[in-house]
Amino acid sequence: MSLTDIKSMTLEELKNSFAAIGQPAFRALQVYHWLGRGVRGFDEMSDLPKPFRETLAAENYIACAEIERKYCSRLDDTVKYLFRMHDGQLVESVLMHYEHGRTVCISSQVGCRMNCAFCATGKSGYSRNLTPSEMLSQVQAAQADAGTRISNIVLMGMGEPLDNYKNVLRFLELVSSGEGMNVGMRHISLSTCGIVDKIYDLAEQKYQLTLSVSLHAPNDEIRSRLMPVGRRWNVDELLQACRYYLGKTGRRISFEYALIGGVNDSRECAGELAHRLKGMLCHVNLIPVNSVKGSPFRKSTPEQTRRFMRELAAQGITATVRRTLGADIDASCGQLRRRYEEEAANV
Ligand code: SAH
């Protein structure tokens, strides 16, 4: 018999499954509280009768994220984790310290299928989706290691969250639940490369989370060269979905734009981008691209970056340059796992 992933269950589901075996609803709440607190075994659920803990352990497992490697930045307080899942798969999470609290950036898949040209994750291929409990476990493990509450979560690590839609939705329900970790939707950001049909689906949920859309180019010609997903849905279709999302949720869209020297950082690109975003409640996040080993892309110069931002501002589009955290510890998408695998292959 295969064990049930109990940490991926909602409180409602726990109540129903406990009712079926004659257990009262308050037991479900007790177990749900323990799972939200990140216990690693049923033994730790000290207010449950021992025989019941044994019954639970015989039928369920508790997903955990084990720290395989931990890198602390010497430049700032950023910590990068390489977590090992129960089947040995490795994923990355990053803990960042901002004035407004601790933010953890988590992965949604082991690897990624999107293959963006500038991204390290896609280069290591795709293995599988993460379960809701495995996403929760990354937050809990980082929180336990840091010893303080995590107030913000960004789904911006390895993987494409909207390519793992069902599990990500369930994770969002679990992590924001008042009886669980209680991280409010307003403190959660989800970053997507632009899976248009799922943006429409997500809009219907009317969550108050921040949707970040990785745009990275002002037109189809440049975008589909950088991002294969751009060949499935063009920029017009993507922006239409963003407007729909905005209309349904009232939440400002955040556009990610990685500045790549000589590719998408010209004055014309800035003008074209401003033109396309005109009138939309949005913000542009400019990120000097991180050069990944084996990729031909180089960061735009600081001067070019400033010029791009000024050009957007002149046309009424608010943009900021993302502060680089953890620059010394490969703290961007997929870089750490790649280095770790290369090291392992060289021993
Ligand atoms: N799949 C999601 C989230 C993962 S990546 C998405 O595409 O949005 C989080 C952000 O980092 C995305 O905006 C992604 O495009 C960007 N990114 C990936 N590799 C990068 C690199 N080498 N330099 C700068 N940004 C990068």
Side-chain angles (χ1 to χ4, degrees):
M1 195 189 73
S2 69
L3 299 177
T4 301
D5 173 13
I6 194 169
K7 203 154 88 180
S8 287
M9 290 171 78
T10 63
L11 180 55
E12 238 8 76
E13 287 168 341
L14 269 185
K15 281 183 181 163
N16 291 338
S17 96
F18 281 17
I21 53 168
Q23 288 289 338
F26 78 86
R27 286 265 180 259
L29 190 59
Q30 282 175 314
V31 170
Y32 192 74
H33 282 157
W34 283 116
L35 294 170
R37 268 178 248 151
V39 292
R40 307 169 67 83
F42 294 99
D43 283 353
E44 292 177 50
M45 301 184 175
S46 52
D47 54 1
L48 299 186
K50 195 152 184 283
F52 184 49
R53 278 185 263 162
E54 284 164 4
T55 310
L56 287 176
E59 290 165 7
N60 304 278
Y61 73 95
I62 302 177
C64 292
E66 308 292 345
I67 300 177
E68 174 72 18
R69 280 277 200 290
K70 177 179 162 183
Y71 299 85
C72 302
S73 172
R74 273 185 287 268
L75 305 175
D76 47 63
D77 289 334
T78 303
V79 184
K80 180 127 193 180
Y81 299 97
L82 193 62
F83 286 125
R84 179 180 288 276
M85 299 297 152
H86 68 96
D87 60 351
Q89 293 286 1
L90 301 171
V91 301
E92 300 178 12
S93 310
V94 187
L95 180 66
M96 294 160 288
H97 299 252
Y98 291 106
E99 293 95 66
H100 55 269
R102 303 270 191 287
T103 297
V104 68
C105 169
I106 63 161
S107 295
S108 55
Q109 297 179 314
V110 184
C112 188
R113 302 198 293 180
M114 298 299 129
N115 264 314
C116 299
F118 45 79
C119 178
T121 301
K123 305 213 180 326
S124 318
Y126 166 85
S127 301
R128 65 172 176 88
N129 282 329
L130 291 177
T131 59
S133 58
E134 288 173 326
M135 290 181 247
L136 215 50
S137 296
Q138 294 171 61
V139 183
Q140 291 170 336
Q143 180 160 279
D145 187 59
T148 44
R149 184 170 187 274
I150 284 173
S151 49
N152 297 276
I153 297 171
V154 295
L155 279 150
M156 277 193 194
M158 294 165 64
E160 167 49 46
L162 298 187
D163 186 38
N164 183 15
Y165 186 74
K166 242 178 68 206
N167 287 349
V168 163
L169 228 59
R170 184 175 272 262
F171 161 73
L172 291 171
E173 293 289 341
L174 292 172
V175 81
S176 63
S177 113
E179 299 291 350
M181 293 194 77
N182 200 17
V183 178
M185 287 286 185
R186 284 175 181 272
H187 297 273
I188 301 176
S189 296
L190 183 153
S191 179
T192 177
C193 65
I195 313 263
V196 165
D197 54 346
K198 293 297 187 296
I199 294 178
Y200 282 105
D201 290 348
L202 187 65
E204 302 306 332
Q205 298 293 327
K206 298 201 174 69
Y207 289 152
Q208 287 299 293
L209 55 76
T210 299
L211 185 67
S212 286
V213 175
S214 302
L215 194 55
H216 301 322
N219 58 48
D220 294 320
E221 195 260 308
I222 303 177
R223 190 163 197 267
S224 54
R225 252 195 296 144
L226 298 174
M227 305 175 71
V229 70
R231 293 176 215 145
R232 173 75 176 80
W233 292 284
N234 63 29
V235 172
D236 271 344
E237 290 167 319
L238 175 56
L239 294 181
Q240 213 173 325
C242 292
R243 289 196 170 89
Y244 183 84
Y245 185 90
L246 181 59
K248 280 277 167 181
T249 62
R251 300 286 292 166
R252 180 174 82 157
I253 306 277
S254 171
F255 288 104
E256 309 291 306
Y257 197 102
L259 282 166
I260 310 174
V263 173
N264 64 358
D265 63 345
S266 67
R267 185 175 205 177
E268 292 70 42
C269 283
E272 202 177 347
L273 180 65
H275 177 71
R276 295 194 99 146
L277 299 183
K278 211 153 215 122
M280 181 170 179
L281 184 63
C282 69
H283 180 88
V284 177
N285 242 317
L286 300 170
I287 320 155
V289 77
N290 258 301
S291 335
V292 166
K293 215 170 132 191
S295 124
F297 302 125
R298 297 290 166 262
K299 277 185 195 2
S300 302
T301 61
E303 174 52 29
Q304 194 66 33
T305 304
R306 276 195 297 274
R307 213 175 303 149
F308 198 93
M309 191 167 81
R310 271 201 307 270
E311 186 65 32
L312 288 180
Q315 308 211 29
I317 305 290
T318 58
T320 44
V321 178
R322 180 181 289 168
R323 197 153 63 99
T324 314
L325 291 175
D328 55 335
I329 51 168
D330 287 347
S332 79
C333 199
Q335 289 183 31
L336 179 62
R337 186 180 77 152
R338 246 189 126 204
R339 195 177 70 185
Y340 177 82
E341 283 169 350
E342 282 168 7
E343 279 169 14
N346 288 336
V347 290

